[in-house]
Amino acid sequence: MTNPTPAGALAGRREWTALGVLMLPLLLVSMDVSVLYFAIPAISADLEPSGTQQLWIFDIYAFVLAGLLMTMGSLGDRIGRRRLLLIGAVAFSAASLVAAYAHSAEMLIAARAVLGLGGATLMPSTMALIRTMFTDSGQRAKAIGIWSGMMTAGIALGSVMSGVLVQYFWWGSVFLVNLPAMALLLVLGPILLPESKDPAPGRFDWPSVPLSMAAVLPVVYGLKEIPSEGWNVRYVVSITVGLLFAALFVHRQRTAANPMISPALFRGHGFAPAVVLNLISAFGMMGSAVFTTQYLQSVLGKSALEAALWALLPSVPIGMVAPVTTSLVQKGVNRAHVVTAGFAIAACGYGLLTFAGTDSLWLVLTACAVLASGIVMVISQMTDLALGAVPTERAGSASSLLETGTEFGGALGMAVLGSIGTAVYRHEMPASAPDAARETLGGALAVADRVPGLATTAREAFTSGMQGAAIAGAVLLALAAGLAALTLRSVEVRKETREPAPQSEPEPQPEKSLA
C-alpha cells in the first residue's frame, strides 16, 4: 500500500487520487505568497506594527521558504518524502493557528517564519512524490502539468481569497483557511501516499545547511528590496555577500564525501539546462507582476479587490495550457520546439505590453494571459525534464534545486525589470515635481491633490516605465527561446517504458589536503 510505483509501471486510480491530495499543500503554499495583500490594512489597524515590522510580516515567509528549500529537499531524500510532508503539514497547521490569533506583530512574524519552514518541507516533497508515483514518462508529464497549473493558480487565488475573507470575517481567517486542507492531508496522506527515500544517503552534511542559507537569503533579500528602494549600497553588498557564500557552498558540494546537493545531479541528461531555463521563466513571470498589479490599481483606479478579481482572468487559460503542451510532446512534437515556442509566446506577451496606454485594461489582461501561458509551457516541460533526468532516490534534492532557482529567478526579474521601469518613470517625470512624486507612482498620487495635472503625468510616466521594462523582458525571453533551441536540441526525451530509469552515479571523493 505504501511502496513506490515500480519503474515504468502505469499508475492507477490510487496514484491519481494521491495526486489530488498532494495538490492541497501545493495550493496553500502558493496561496500564502499573496494571501496578505488585502489583509495587511486590517492587521495594521489591530496589531499596529511599525513600518519595519510590516515589511517582515510580508517578507519573512518567502525568505525562510527560499533559504530552507535545499536543506529540506535533501532531508526528505534521507528520512522519507512522505514523512517530511506530514511533518511539514503539522508545522504549517500549527503556525496557521498561531498566526490567526496572534496578538502582537512579533508573534505574527514568528508564525509567518514557521509557515515558511513548513512550506519549505512541502514544496519539494510534493514534486518528489510525483516522481515516485508516476514512473511512466507520459503519466508523469501529465501529473507535472497539473502541478504547474495548480501552483500558478494558487498565487492568483491567494489575493482574491484574502480580499473576500477580510471583507466578511476578521483578518485571522486568511490563515484558518489552511486548517481543513491540512487536516485532510494528514488523514489521507498516510493511506494514499507511498513512502520513498534514498536507500543509501550517507551522513547528512550539516555544514552545508548554514552555507546554503547564507548563500540564498542575502541574495533574495537584496533582489527583493531593489525594485522599491533602488540600487542602494546595502543591497548590493547583501547580494555580493550571498554570492561569496554561494561559491563556498558550491565548493563544499564538490569536495564533501556526502554533499547536500550531489554534483552528480548536474550530469543527469538535461537537468542543468532545465534548471537554468526554469529560472529564466520565473524571471519573466515575476518581472511582469511588478507592473501589472500596480497598473490595475494605481493607473486604472481599481480597488484592491477589483484588481485582484480582474487579475484572475489571465489565469483561466493557464489550466488548459499545460495539458495541451504535454499532449503535444507525447504525440511526437520535439520538446525543444515546444519550449522554444513557449518562450516566444511569452515574449509576445511582453510585446503586447509595450502598446499599453493609461486606459488599456483588456490589452494588459490579454498580454498577461499570453505571457503566463508561454511561461507555463516552459515550466511544465522543464520540471518534467529535470525530474526525469535524475534517479528517484534524489528526487527531493532535484526538486529543491528547481524551486530555489524559481525563487532566485522571480526575485531577479522583479529587481531588474523593476529597476528599468523605475528609471524610465523618473526620467519621464518633470524636474519640478515633488521629490516623493518623482520616486514612485504611489508617492505621486499621495500628493496629486496639491499639484494640478500631477496624477495624469505620473500615470503616463508609469505606463512608459512599464513599456520600457516590457521591451527588456521581450528581448530576454526571445534570447531564451534561442538558448532553449540550442541547449535542448541534443536532449532526448527519456521514455522510461523503453529505457531503464537513470541510476545513481558514484559520489566524487573529497580532495585530500596536503596538510
Side-chain angles (χ1 to χ4, degrees), residues 176-245:
L176 290 183
V177 73
N178 296 333
L179 298 182
M182 285 300 173
L184 192 60
L185 172 64
L186 290 171
V187 171
L188 297 180
I191 300 172
L192 295 173
L193 298 175
E195 184 57 285
S196 64
K197 60 182 178 180
D198 189 342
R203 298 180 61 184
F204 189 75
D205 187 33
W206 288 105
S208 290
V209 176
L211 279 177
S212 67
M213 295 186 69
V216 173
L217 291 179
V219 176
V220 172
Y221 169 73
L223 292 175
K224 282 184 174 290
E225 293 300 318
I226 284 172
S228 57
E229 301 294 334
W231 289 87
N232 187 295
V233 173
R234 178 174 54 184
Y235 305 135
V236 175
V237 170
S238 177
I239 294 172
T240 303
V241 169
L243 293 176
L244 290 175
F245 275 107

Side-chain angles (χ1 to χ4, degrees), residues 335-355:
R335 192 198 298 265
H337 296 162
V338 172
V339 174
T340 300
F343 276 123
I345 290 171
C348 290
Y350 269 122
L352 286 175
L353 276 181
T354 64
F355 295 100

Side-chain angles (χ1 to χ4, degrees), residues 106-259:
E106 294 83 358
M107 188 175 179
L108 182 55
I109 291 170
R112 288 276 290 170
V114 178
L115 281 170
L117 186 152
T121 68
L122 297 171
M123 291 292 280
S125 295
T126 57
M127 196 185 297
L129 284 168
I130 289 175
R131 174 69 176 88
T132 300
M133 294 188 300
F134 298 93
T135 57
D136 175 76
S137 59
Q139 288 188 325
R140 185 182 63 238
K142 292 179 181 178
I144 289 174
I146 296 172
W147 185 94
S148 302
M150 184 64 70
M151 181 180 66
T152 307
I155 296 174
L157 185 61
S159 58
V160 176
M161 180 171 288
S162 68
V164 173
L165 289 173
V166 170
Q167 182 169 347
Y168 294 103
F169 304 98
W170 98 110
W171 60 264
S173 60
V174 303
F175 298 107
L176 290 183
V177 73
N178 296 333
L179 298 182
M182 285 300 173
L184 192 60
L185 172 64
L186 290 171
V187 171
L188 297 180
I191 300 172
L192 295 173
L193 298 175
E195 184 57 285
S196 64
K197 60 182 178 180
D198 189 342
R203 298 180 61 184
F204 189 75
D205 187 33
W206 288 105
S208 290
V209 176
L211 279 177
S212 67
M213 295 186 69
V216 173
L217 291 179
V219 176
V220 172
Y221 169 73
L223 292 175
K224 282 184 174 290
E225 293 300 318
I226 284 172
S228 57
E229 301 294 334
W231 289 87
N232 187 295
V233 173
R234 178 174 54 184
Y235 305 135
V236 175
V237 170
S238 177
I239 294 172
T240 303
V241 169
L243 293 176
L244 290 175
F245 275 107
L248 292 175
F249 177 76
V250 171
H251 177 73
R252 175 75 186 178
Q253 307 315 297
R254 291 171 61 89
T255 58
N258 296 291

Side-chain angles (χ1 to χ4, degrees), residues 10 76 116 130 135 164 166 197 271 361 400 441 450-451 457-458 505:
L10 291 176
I130 289 175
T135 57
V164 173
V166 170
K197 60 182 178 180
F271 182 79
L361 172 62
S400 67
L441 175 59
R450 302 199 299 266
V451 182
T457 301
E505 299 187 35

Side-chain angles (χ1 to χ4, degrees), residues 181-497:
M182 285 300 173
L184 192 60
L185 172 64
L186 290 171
V187 171
L188 297 180
I191 300 172
L192 295 173
L193 298 175
E195 184 57 285
S196 64
K197 60 182 178 180
D198 189 342
R203 298 180 61 184
F204 189 75
D205 187 33
W206 288 105
S208 290
V209 176
L211 279 177
S212 67
M213 295 186 69
V216 173
L217 291 179
V219 176
V220 172
Y221 169 73
L223 292 175
K224 282 184 174 290
E225 293 300 318
I226 284 172
S228 57
E229 301 294 334
W231 289 87
N232 187 295
V233 173
R234 178 174 54 184
Y235 305 135
V236 175
V237 170
S238 177
I239 294 172
T240 303
V241 169
L243 293 176
L244 290 175
F245 275 107
L248 292 175
F249 177 76
V250 171
H251 177 73
R252 175 75 186 178
Q253 307 315 297
R254 291 171 61 89
T255 58
N258 296 291
M260 175 188 291
I261 303 295
S262 171
L265 286 175
F266 290 91
R267 294 194 288 271
H269 200 56
F271 182 79
V275 172
V276 173
L277 294 175
N278 193 68
L279 184 151
I280 296 173
S281 65
F283 181 107
M285 178 68 83
M286 296 307 297
S288 68
V290 177
F291 300 97
T292 53
T293 53
Q294 291 187 67
Y295 180 87
L296 292 174
Q297 294 184 69
S298 300
V299 176
L300 297 182
K302 305 292 184 184
S303 69
L305 185 55
E306 284 178 326
L309 290 172
W310 279 111
L312 276 179
L313 286 181
S315 65
V316 173
I318 293 175
M320 299 179 287
V321 168
V324 170
T325 303
T326 300
S327 177
L328 288 175
V329 174
Q330 291 177 346
K331 289 180 178 179
V333 179
N334 189 288
R335 192 198 298 265
H337 296 162
V338 172
V339 174
T340 300
F343 276 123
I345 290 171
C348 290
Y350 269 122
L352 286 175
L353 276 181
T354 64
F355 295 100
T358 56
D359 189 20
S360 303
L361 172 62
W362 288 105
L363 176 63
V364 170
L365 292 178
T366 302
C368 289
V370 173
L371 171 62
S373 297
I375 293 298
V376 169
M377 288 176 66
V378 176
I379 290 176
S380 62
Q381 290 305 304
M382 290 303 91
T383 302
D384 181 43
L385 176 61
L387 291 185
V390 300
T392 305
E393 59 266 24
R394 289 181 180 155
S397 298
S399 302
S400 67
L401 275 176
L402 275 175
E403 291 298 326
T404 303
T406 299
E407 292 291 330
F408 272 124
L412 188 62
M414 295 174 69
V416 174
L417 297 188
S419 297
I420 292 173
T422 300
V424 173
Y425 172 83
R426 291 172 180 171
H427 180 267
E428 293 291 320
M429 288 295 288
S432 58
D435 291 340
R438 288 178 54 82
E439 288 297 316
T440 64
L441 175 59
L445 296 179
V447 299
D449 57 339
R450 302 199 299 266
V451 182
L454 179 60
T456 300
T457 301
R459 290 187 174 102
E460 291 174 349
F462 178 87
T463 304
S464 297
M466 182 174 70
Q467 293 169 348
I471 293 172
V475 171
L476 174 73
L477 293 182
L479 292 174
L483 178 63
L486 290 174
T487 57
L488 298 180
R489 182 179 299 169
S490 62
V491 176
E492 297 176 357
V493 179
R494 285 194 182 273
K495 298 292 185 181
E496 294 182 351
T497 57

